[in-house]
Amino acid sequence: MNGQQMVLKLNDISSKKPGNIAAIFSLSNGYVGIQASNPINGSNDTGTLVNGFFEYSPITYGEAAAFYPKNNQTIVPVLNLRKIILLDENHHRFDTATIKDISLNLENGQLHEVYEVSNQAHKKIEMTVVSAIDQKNLSFYGIKFSFKPLSYKGKLIVDKRFKLDAISEAADIGAQEDPRKTRRVNSAAKQIIASADDREILKIATKKSNQSITIQGRSISKKLLTERDLTTSFDLTYIYQVSKGDENKVVPIEQHSFVKIKENSHQFWEKVWQQSAVMISGNDEINLALHFNIFQLNQAAGRDGHTNIAAKGLTGPGYEGHTFWDTEMYMMPYFIYTNPEIAKSLLIYRYHTLAFARKRARELGVDSGALFAWRSINGEETSAYYPASTAAYHLNGDIAYAIGKYYETTDDDEFMEKYGFEILLETARFWREFGSWTEKNGQKKFEFLTVTGPDEYTAMVDNNYFTNRMAENNLQLAYTVGHKLAVSNPKILLKLNTSENELRQFQHLSTNIYFPRNTQYAINAQDDSFFSKPIWPFQTTPNSQYPLLLHYHPLHIYRYQVNKQADTILADFLFPETITESQLGREFDYYEKITTHDSSLSRSIFSAVAARMGNVKKAYSYFSDTVRMDLIDLQGNTEDGLHLANLGGSWLDVVQGFAGMQVTAQGILKILPHLPEEWNSFEFRLMFKKRLLKFVIDQQITEITLINGDPLEVIINQKKYTLSKIIKINN
């Protein structure tokens, strides 16, 4: 792929709204995120987000009940590190900046912008901004401003000192009208604790969550307030260090340079593309969009085991900076197969929230095990609407599924012994205590009552198919992993206060879980009551009334067969060996007709499943919307932050959809490709069992190259081969 195809430019996005530009062209490293806000017109107090830095605010209920969450958690935007003040020689402010060009280099992580800046006297200068964020020493960010005279050639005063605007208390903006937006809590106290000509240190502390951030800014030119003659062009460069408390101060700011920041960024991205490049021949627009999605996925992921990926990453404050089930189902697969170390860190985050999860299970009346928070930053449940959150118990199974896939791919026994098995054990215990035995068709079956599946338009039902399938997998994983680890480390069961008998209980439950079925259509039923409801009146619902959640009361929606997103179809995607091709076709046809795709999580799953079915035309239609969702602002809210789960979904579509990549029950990598007619070929790379593999697929040939690692067995088009160096198979 040539360099031109690895640069995202202004013309590559459909909406030029400032909020969209700020989110799409943002820079982050999983720790700190910098939105590409206008340096002249942007706010002082927004634009910079720190992963895990949040504030509490009380949840107000009209009528409360026992164990409702007491507090919101909202990510706190800190000072805008891009903000700059320009004055002419008469101290008149240049207060308008029009963007002329912007480009994000996906190969090295550098952002390049050009603005025309003017004042009320219509004097103009050109300002070029180059910025990068450090991908090794994560607390560092560098930005260089270059100024060029246009109609103004006098003295230019450049002020890059920290500015502290008046801070308002909790402002509940937009949270009631649109639950996807944030609750902008701005109650953090800000104080400049040190100041000199060339540097300032700012401390930001939250009042209720008791967190603090220290930001140190340094001017390479030795002055934060500079007066220069603009008869010729000149540059000014600034370095910022953002630290949580006393963390990330291993490298003093004096020893860091903008050159080093750019070098560390370039080296990081070089490794990313070496391990996870996906290249499409035949459609440069889709190719660029896919690389952008992968770029932003890598930028968003917390890497310290204590932070995760927010629904919007660090590109915007939407959904208040919360982590959901999105991570494990949509984003984790990319990291498992391309950067297992980051996948492990994301899973360790869940381990560090186990204490909150155990407490939540007790609050729900379950005497053992753990129930992870539906939406949270630090692991405490913060959702005030339990029918579409806490009742979505499938999150436990989603986390267990991701752990199982990580282990299947890496054989990381150390992770399992330290972290993974304990999570599997605690989630399996939850299912055991939460479920109940019943008689179905003359047989004793284990079922789960009053739950909500992935489809948030169907809440509080019995035996949601997806939930039951995830619970079955969770229980079986606890059994098989426990037995495997006990062989190599007999003390592991004693350490976690479990036994062979408890493991056998899990296996017994997993083999007796009930799955609802609709006999009329010969398909899996989404839940026990789904087919007793009328179908939503799609023909009389105007387009202006979508998404339904913004226009209809939840109880109105719950009375109908209507899906916000993939539910049973998602289970079919995750467990392909549990369903025949003919039944999958019937299920896809039925559920597709009643799915609105109001959720950004939906289209990618329908695309991947359609591709596996061989319906490549339909798969490509869904994929086209998925891969460009934020670049075309398909959901209409990109300005609140990118849809990170959907970005992961676009990778799923290519690798697990069009390439048909699966891992069999025997642990063998399997490929069954379906090439879209719009492409000449496509290729991608995977990490699998400590091996780096390259796949190239065109209309005639599937080629797999073992870049490094030992030989392994693979399945291509239903036939088994031993890959020692390279295999070429006719399609």
Side-chain angles (χ1 to χ4, degrees):
M1 189 171 182
N2 64 55
Q4 290 295 319
Q5 293 175 305
M6 288 289 280
V7 178
L8 185 78
K9 299 181 179 180
L10 193 61
N11 289 337
D12 295 318
I13 68 175
S14 61
S15 173
K16 309 301 191 292
K17 291 190 299 185
N20 285 48
I21 292 172
I24 290 170
F25 291 93
S26 60
L27 295 176
S28 59
N29 56 19
Y31 172 68
V32 61
I34 313 289
Q35 290 182 292
S37 58
N38 189 308
I40 298 295
N41 303 129
S43 165
N44 282 338
D45 288 324
T46 60
T48 303
L49 299 170
V50 178
N51 201 350
F53 185 62
F54 72 92
E55 178 63 305
Y56 290 115
S57 63
I59 298 176
T60 302
Y61 296 98
E63 296 180 23
F67 300 116
Y68 278 18
K70 298 293 191 294
N71 292 300
N72 302 298
Q73 292 178 2
T74 303
I75 194 167
V76 179
V78 298
L79 204 70
N80 185 348
L81 302 184
R82 292 165 50 87
K83 184 72 175 178
I84 193 166
I85 294 174
L86 305 179
L87 306 171
D88 66 15
E89 55 197 2
N90 296 314
H91 290 260
H92 294 148
R93 189 164 178 169
F94 287 89
D95 55 5
T96 301
T98 303
I99 192 164
K100 295 299 182 182
D101 185 43
I102 185 168
S103 60
L104 177 60
N105 189 315
L106 308 179
E107 285 190 302
N108 60 27
Q110 290 184 35
L111 180 64
H112 184 276
E113 306 156 79
V114 179
Y115 296 87
E116 184 178 273
V117 183
S118 60
N119 60 14
Q120 294 183 1
H122 304 293
K123 300 296 183 180
K124 296 180 180 180
I125 61 176
E126 182 179 276
M127 180 176 71
T128 300
V129 184
V130 177
S131 56
I133 196 161
D134 201 312
Q135 298 290 345
K136 180 180 179 181
N137 297 302
L138 302 183
S139 60
F140 286 99
Y141 168 72
I143 187 167
K144 182 177 80 170
F145 296 87
S146 300
F147 304 98
K148 176 182 175 181
L150 295 177
S151 60
Y152 179 74
K153 299 181 180 180
K155 291 190 180 299
L156 183 67
I157 301 170
V158 181
D159 190 349
K160 201 67 178 68
R161 296 172 296 181
F162 294 147
K163 301 294 180 181
L164 305 184
D165 287 347
I167 299 169
S168 62
E169 288 295 326
D172 201 353
I173 301 174
Q176 302 303 318
E177 296 86 355
D178 188 341
R180 300 169 300 180
K181 291 184 177 292
T182 193
R183 191 184 313 277
R184 302 176 190 169
V185 176
N186 296 319
S187 57
K190 303 181 181 181
Q191 179 184 8
I192 295 176
I193 58 176
S195 182
D197 284 347
D198 66 332
R199 71 190 58 212
E200 286 184 319
I201 302 176
L202 173 72
K203 184 175 182 180
I204 304 172
T206 57
K207 296 178 180 178
K208 298 173 183 176
S209 67
N210 196 30
Q211 294 180 301
S212 66
I213 293 286
T214 301
I215 303 176
Q216 185 172 180
R218 181 169 75 95
S219 170
I220 301 301
S221 66
K222 306 301 181 185
K223 289 187 177 181
L224 293 169
L225 180 62
T226 304
E227 183 175 328
R228 295 283 290 273
D229 196 327
L230 196 57
T231 54
T232 59
S233 302
F234 67 90
D235 303 331
L236 293 173
T237 302
Y238 306 89
I239 305 295
Y240 292 95
Q241 184 180 32
V242 182
S243 306
K244 286 183 186 177
D246 293 326
E247 295 178 7
N248 301 307
K249 293 189 176 180
V250 176
V251 179
I253 194 169
E254 295 83 359
Q255 297 178 17
H256 219 52
S257 66
F258 192 33
V259 170
K260 190 62 178 176
I261 290 172
K262 290 188 289 185
E263 284 179 359
N264 288 343
S265 176
H266 195 181
Q267 289 173 9
F268 173 83
W269 291 113
E270 194 171 47
K271 182 178 178 182
V272 166
W273 299 123
Q274 181 185 14
Q275 295 183 182
S276 64
V278 180
M279 299 188 186
I280 296 166
S281 173
N283 192 316
D284 291 344
E285 180 185 5
I286 294 294
N287 201 17
L288 177 62
L290 187 58
H291 278 81
F292 168 75
N293 292 354
I294 293 172
F295 179 89
Q296 288 291 1
L297 268 181
N298 279 278
Q299 287 207 126
R303 307 172 198 173
D304 59 3
H306 293 276
T307 54
N308 203 269
I309 306 177
K312 300 290 188 180
L314 294 170
T315 67
Y319 286 112
E320 303 189 70
H322 293 167
T323 292
F324 294 79
W325 69 303
D326 306 10
T327 298
E328 284 76 20
M329 290 290 92
Y330 290 82
M331 295 177 265
M332 189 72 74
Y334 164 78
F335 291 107
I336 287 173
Y337 292 112
T338 64
N339 194 330
E341 283 301 310
I342 288 182
K344 179 166 68 173
S345 294
L346 296 172
L347 292 171
I348 291 173
Y349 159 85
R350 293 294 190 182
Y351 178 83
H352 286 142
T353 68
L354 261 176
F356 287 125
R358 292 187 179 103
K359 181 174 182 283
R360 189 61 174 152
R362 305 301 170 272
E363 292 173 347
L364 270 289
V366 178
D367 293 335
S368 66
L371 176 62
F372 286 93
W374 177 249
R375 61 182 299 171
S376 182
I377 293 176
N378 72 343
E380 295 175 273
E381 181 62 82
T382 67
S383 175
Y385 187 65
Y386 67 84
S389 56
T390 306
Y393 302 102
H394 66 82
L395 172 63
N396 266 15
D398 305 338
I399 294 169
Y401 181 91
I403 290 171
K405 286 297 176 184
Y406 171 80
Y407 191 41
E408 171 186 81
T409 305
T410 64
D411 295 323
D412 189 347
D413 289 329
E414 182 184 13
F415 164 80
M416 270 299 182
E417 290 187 9
K418 286 186 176 181
Y419 309 104
F421 178 53
E422 187 171 352
I423 296 175
L424 294 178
L425 185 61
E426 289 293 87
T427 48
R429 285 169 172 166
F430 177 87
W431 293 118
R432 181 187 63 199
E433 301 301 317
F434 176 69
S436 55
W437 288 97
T438 188
E439 187 170 306
K440 300 282 188 181
N441 302 318
Q443 294 181 313
K444 287 193 69 176
K445 289 290 182 181
F446 200 64
E447 64 178 359
F448 303 101
L449 307 177
T450 319
V451 305
T452 299
D455 169 36
E456 295 170 1
Y457 286 171
T458 308
M460 309 287 285
V461 296
D462 296 340
N463 292 311
N464 169 257
Y465 177 82
F466 179 90
T467 302
N468 289 20
R469 186 62 77 188
M470 300 307 287
E472 175 196 49
N473 180 69
N474 193 162
L475 290 160
Q476 185 62 33
L477 275 172
Y479 169 75
T480 55
V481 171
H483 268 290
K484 185 177 185 297
L485 294 180
V487 171
S488 58
N489 181 7
K491 294 181 180 179
I492 190 73
L493 300 186
L494 183 63
K495 175 186 174 183
L496 295 177
N497 195 28
T498 187
S499 64
E500 291 280 353
N501 182 56
E502 184 174 36
L503 297 183
R504 284 192 294 271
Q505 285 182 16
F506 297 151
Q507 184 191 39
H508 178 63
L509 293 174
S510 72
T511 58
N512 285 280
I513 288 177
Y514 169 71
F515 293 100
R517 185 172 175 81
N518 180 276
T519 55
Q520 179 183 356
Y521 299 102
I523 61 176
N524 291 311
Q526 185 165 307
D527 59 72
D528 282 353
S529 63
F530 194 74
F531 284 88
S532 66
K533 300 172 183 177
I535 293 175
W536 181 269
F538 294 102
Q539 298 299 322
T540 58
T541 304
N543 290 335
S544 61
Q545 297 302 101
Y546 294 93
L548 300 181
L549 80 162
L550 298 184
H551 302 281
Y552 299 91
H553 193 284
L555 291 177
H556 184 172
I557 298 172
Y558 294 164
R559 297 199 305 270
Y560 291 90
Q561 286 185 54
V562 56
N563 284 3
K564 181 184 179 186
Q565 62 208 72
D567 192 298
T568 302
I569 298 301
L570 177 56
D572 294 340
F573 170 72
L574 296 176
F575 302 100
E577 295 184 338
T578 65
I579 188 169
T580 64
E581 290 184 14
S582 58
Q583 183 178 337
L584 178 60
R586 294 192 299 272
E587 291 194 7
F588 186 95
D589 290 344
Y590 189 88
Y591 288 110
E592 183 189 31
K593 293 173 185 175
I594 59 169
T595 301
T596 64
H597 307 294
D598 284 349
S599 168
S600 64
L601 308 182
S602 190
R603 291 177 179 86
S604 62
I605 299 304
F606 275 86
S607 173
V609 173
R612 286 182 180 176
M613 292 164 51
N615 191 341
V616 183
K617 185 175 182 180
K618 178 165 286 188
Y620 195 77
S621 176
Y622 279 123
F623 171 72
S624 182
D625 285 342
T626 296
V627 75
R628 299 180 300 140
M629 181 173 288
D630 286 307
L631 300 183
I632 63 174
D633 199 12
L634 184 66
Q635 300 292 106
N637 63 342
T638 294
E639 63 186 351
D640 297 321
L642 304 181
H643 298 80
L644 266 294
N646 177 77
L647 306 188
S650 66
W651 182 88
L652 288 176
D653 287 346
V654 173
V655 175
Q656 297 189 332
F658 296 122
M661 189 278 285
Q662 301 173 23
V663 179
T664 69
Q666 295 74 37
I668 301 174
L669 195 68
K670 174 182 175 181
I671 298 291
L672 185 62
H674 295 90
L675 181 71
E677 63 180 20
E678 291 85 354
W679 301 349
N680 299 323
S681 65
F682 69 104
E683 63 180 80
F684 58 94
R685 296 187 176 198
L686 293 181
M687 296 287 293
F688 186 72
K689 294 187 181 296
K690 300 181 176 67
R691 299 161 174 90
L692 179 59
L693 309 173
K694 177 183 176 182
F695 300 78
V696 180
I697 298 167
D698 62 26
Q699 295 291 356
Q700 286 76 41
I701 293 174
T702 294
E703 177 182 301
I704 307 179
T705 303
L706 180 63
I707 296 177
N708 59 49
D710 297 330
L712 81 161
E713 284 189 324
V714 295
I715 297 174
I716 308 173
N717 294 327
Q718 310 297 1
K719 292 184 180 180
K720 190 180 293 186
Y721 302 88
T722 298
L723 175 63
S724 57
K725 187 174 182 182
I726 188 168
I727 294 176
K728 292 185 179 181
I729 303 298
N730 292 328
N731 291 332

